[in-house]
Amino acid sequence: MRVVEPMKPMKPMKGMEPMKPMEPMKGMEPWWPKDLGDPATSGAQNGMKYAVFPDKHRLLIERDGQISTYDSGDHRIGGVSQADGSSKSLTFSSQNGDVDLGTLKKLD
């Protein structure tokens, strides 16, 4: 005959540790010079980044790690588009209509 030992009482479960508050996510560091301030618009398309600084009349393009600065003149650039997916050219829209990047004066 087999002897069954009595069950031992369960120990109370340990309470859950409180969760640590989430740390705020860090935004991307600006890739443009800080003296330009904050851009009115910025983004990236097809491996190129752009930032528009209308008060400084500047448009910056970062391509393959190289930053190019353009004088945007009297254009108030508000958007960007590509001619086609394989193209590495950008067209910007302004109050004067579409602005091809090749028509802007490159400063550096």
Side-chain angles (χ1 to χ4, degrees):
M1 178 172 196
R2 198 170 130 209
V3 177
V4 178
E5 293 194 27
M7 288 182 66
K8 294 181 183 175
M10 285 181 65
K11 293 182 181 176
M13 289 179 62
K14 184 179 176 185
M16 289 180 64
E17 296 281 325
M19 288 181 65
K20 292 182 182 177
M22 286 183 63
E23 304 242 345
M25 290 179 61
K26 291 186 178 182
M28 281 183 45
E29 288 294 315
W31 53 268
W32 52 83
K34 292 187 187 330
D35 64 326
L36 289 175
D38 293 325
T41 186
S42 64
Q45 278 198 344
N46 206 24
M48 292 186 283
K49 297 177 191 174
Y50 64 91
V52 180
F53 303 87
D55 294 339
K56 308 263 186 187
H57 303 281
R58 295 294 179 261
L59 167 65
L60 273 64
I61 305 289
E62 192 265 349
R63 193 179 317 193
D64 301 323
Q66 299 292 323
I67 297 175
S68 299
T69 303
Y70 296 86
D71 183 346
S72 59
D74 67 343
H75 297 288
R76 301 286 294 180
I77 294 171
V80 62
S81 64
Q82 287 177 253
D84 61 57
S86 64
S87 173
K88 287 257 184 181
S89 67
L90 298 173
T91 300
F92 295 88
S93 58
S94 79
Q95 83 282 13
N96 299 327
D98 287 346
V99 181
D100 184 80
L101 187 59
T103 64
L104 297 177
K105 181 180 178 186
K106 190 173 178 181
L107 300 176
D108 59 6

